[in-house]
């Protein structure tokens, strides 16, 4: 007596098999034949969506897509539990994965997302946290004033606030010539790329820390902003003591208008999360934190871009441009651009246009 043949997913081949394997193959065939039409229809719809999105897909197919996806997912679960043939199992796993992406996956590709982010998404996220931006700005200004006053009262505060090493010349009591030399330029570009990468890493670390600490109701973010700007106020006092406040402001403005703005936004994004957790309103604390976290994440993506720009300005423009007027022009132009982009540029969403 001949042993019945086994059916594979892609064709038939005659093999000798024990009765238990023969029974499993028959169950697999019966399982597949009962549901094969739904799988093929789902596969057809998914292929159309992968090639051209929603264009060309019939309305009845779109309405049936969620049901067909759940049916395929259920079939996959059964196939795994009953150890059906590997070909059917592999086919279902691939089909369910592709269908899941079409049902629940992002509707935009990377370039579409980037376009929406730059053409309004980033600026909308910043305007949405305007109150936190105002608070962060007040805290930063207050921190700079506190740093100035502390050093003016006791110069020992300078060494506690401003990190320095052996041979550091930007210290209280330094001569005008020594301080002016620290604001000078370089005659070549050797090593500036490495210097720029170091500056980006350092500045980005401060910004990310200011954002990450926001979960503790924003208090650590505020303290970090105060600390960083107190150092700046202390340094300003040292240069002002030698009549170099304009030169120092020009030197700082080249990259500072971008870098300090980015730190301002990162601190504000962190405080936004903390404020939403402290005052969730009618939402649960988790829901409020999730919503503010998404908004803050958009802001932080932009902050990273600003830190890259600040690193390039600090490592190249500041090192190669020595004129006070040119430095102020560069810094002022970037400040005007950021203010205009965040608070004057308010386009409609692309999907609403």
């Amino acid at each position: 007596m001949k042993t019945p043949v086994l059916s594979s997913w892609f064709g038939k081949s005659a093999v000798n098999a024990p009765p238990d394997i023969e029974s499993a193959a028959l169950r697999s065939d019966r399982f597949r034949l009962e549901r094969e039409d739904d799988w093929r229809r789902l596969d057809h719809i998914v292929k159309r969506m992968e090639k051209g999105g929603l264009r060309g897909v019939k309305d009845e197919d779109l309405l049936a897509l969620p049901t067909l996806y759940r049916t395929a997912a259920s079939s996959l679960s059964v196939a795994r539990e009953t150890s059906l043939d590997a070909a059917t199992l592999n086919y279902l796993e691939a089909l369910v994965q592709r269908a899941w992406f079409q049902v629940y996956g992002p509707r935009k590709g990377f370039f579409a997302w980037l376009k929406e982010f730059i053409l309004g998404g980033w600026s909308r996220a910043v305007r949405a946290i305007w109150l936190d931006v105002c608070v962060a700005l007040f805290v930063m200004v207050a921190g700079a004033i506190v740093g100035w006053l502390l050093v003016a009262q006791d110069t020992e505060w300078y060494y506690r606030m401003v990190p320095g090493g052996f041979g550091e010349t930007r210290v209280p009591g330094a001569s005008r010539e020594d301080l002016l030399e620290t604001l000078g330029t370089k005659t070549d570009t050797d090593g500036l790329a490495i210097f720029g990468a170091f500056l980006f890493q350092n500045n980005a670390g401060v910004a990310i820390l200011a954002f990450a600490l926001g979960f503790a109701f924003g208090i650590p973010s505020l303290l970090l902003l105060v600390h960083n700007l107190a150092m700046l106020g202390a340094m300003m006092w040292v240069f002002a003591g030698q009549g170099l406040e304009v030169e120092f402001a020009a030197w700082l403005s080249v990259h500072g208008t971008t870098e300090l703005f980015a730190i301002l936004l990162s601190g504000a994004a962190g405080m936004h999360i903390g404020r939403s957790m402290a005052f969730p309103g009618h939402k649960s604390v988790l829901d409020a934190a999730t919503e503010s976290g998404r908004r803050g994440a958009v802001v932080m993506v932009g902050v990273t871009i600003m830190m890259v720009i600040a690193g390039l300005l600090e490592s190249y423009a500041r090192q190669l441009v020595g004129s006070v007027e040119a430095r102020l022009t560069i810094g002022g132009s970037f400040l005007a651009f950021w203010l205009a982009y965040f608070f004057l540029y308010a386009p409609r969403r692309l999907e609403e246009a």
Side-chain angles (χ1 to χ4, degrees):
M1 176 179 178
K2 289 186 177 181
T3 303
V5 297
L6 296 179
S7 298
S8 68
W9 178 255
F10 299 101
K12 296 185 177 181
S13 59
V15 294
N16 295 326
D20 54 341
I21 297 180
E22 173 189 338
S23 176
L26 292 175
R27 289 199 309 271
S28 178
D29 284 345
R30 188 162 52 250
F31 176 83
R32 174 175 56 81
L33 291 173
E34 290 174 354
R35 297 163 177 81
E36 192 172 9
D37 290 340
D38 289 338
W39 300 347
R40 286 179 174 174
R41 185 183 178 190
L42 176 61
D43 186 49
H44 174 74
I45 297 173
V46 170
K47 283 181 179 178
R48 295 295 297 270
M49 296 180 69
E50 289 172 342
K51 291 180 179 179
L54 299 179
R55 297 188 303 271
V57 180
K58 298 179 181 179
D59 292 340
E60 55 268 26
D61 288 336
L62 288 177
L63 293 174
L65 177 61
T67 301
L68 293 172
Y69 164 73
R70 288 192 292 269
T71 300
S74 176
S75 299
L76 176 60
S77 177
V78 173
R80 286 172 173 169
E81 291 295 330
T82 57
S83 301
L84 297 182
D85 67 271
T88 301
L89 188 60
N90 293 337
Y91 173 81
L92 283 174
E93 286 179 344
L95 178 61
V96 169
Q97 185 178 25
R98 291 164 54 219
W100 180 91
F101 187 83
Q102 297 301 328
V103 175
Y104 298 107
R107 300 265 68 86
K108 297 179 181 177
F110 172 75
F111 291 105
W113 173 87
L114 182 62
K115 180 180 178 181
E116 197 280 333
F117 172 78
I118 295 176
L119 299 181
W122 182 14
S123 60
R124 276 193 299 272
V126 171
R127 288 194 302 275
I129 62 172
W130 67 270
L131 178 60
D132 306 279
V133 171
C134 292
V135 174
L137 178 61
F138 173 80
V139 169
M140 292 175 72
V141 173
I145 295 174
V146 168
W148 176 296
L149 295 177
L150 286 175
V151 178
Q153 182 180 9
D154 184 357
T155 56
E156 288 300 317
W157 277 103
Y158 184 89
Y159 301 99
R160 298 171 187 170
M161 290 187 295
V162 181
F166 179 77
E168 176 63 57
T169 57
R170 289 181 292 190
V171 295
S175 66
R176 178 184 175 89
E177 290 73 21
D178 288 340
L179 291 177
L180 195 59
E181 185 178 354
T182 65
L183 305 179
T185 59
K186 291 181 178 289
T187 57
D188 58 71
T189 60
D190 293 342
L192 292 185
I194 298 176
F195 182 50
F198 168 77
L199 292 172
F200 166 73
Q201 180 182 8
N202 180 70
N203 297 336
V206 173
I208 293 173
L209 185 61
F211 173 68
L213 293 175
F215 75 94
F217 303 107
I219 296 175
S221 297
L222 291 173
L223 295 177
L224 185 62
L225 294 179
V226 171
H227 176 260
N228 278 273
L229 269 295
M231 290 193 298
L232 181 60
M235 293 182 65
M236 178 64 81
W237 180 87
V238 170
F239 282 88
Q242 295 294 342
L244 296 173
E245 56 269 23
V246 175
E247 288 80 1
F248 178 74
W251 175 85
L252 179 66
S253 70
V254 175
H255 68 283
T257 52
T258 298
E259 179 184 320
L260 293 177
F261 211 141
I263 293 175
L264 166 68
L265 294 180
S266 60
M271 285 189 291
H272 182 64
I273 296 177
R275 184 169 63 86
S276 67
M277 293 174 64
F279 307 101
H282 64 279
K283 302 176 183 177
S284 68
V285 174
L286 182 59
D287 290 341
T290 300
E291 181 178 338
S292 60
R294 291 196 185 102
R295 191 177 295 117
V298 174
V299 175
M300 289 304 296
V301 171
V303 165
T304 304
I305 297 174
M306 294 178 73
M307 284 303 183
V308 172
I309 296 173
L312 293 174
L313 290 172
E314 189 172 2
S315 59
Y316 284 94
R318 196 189 71 181
Q319 303 298 326
L320 301 176
V321 177
S323 168
V324 171
E325 294 77 10
R327 285 175 167 178
L328 287 174
T329 299
I330 295 173
S333 298
F334 273 94
L335 178 60
F337 170 77
W338 296 125
L339 289 173
Y341 175 77
F342 290 129
F343 302 109
L344 297 180
Y345 177 65
R348 293 184 299 171
R349 295 179 183 271
L350 293 182
E351 57 267 25
E352 297 175 357

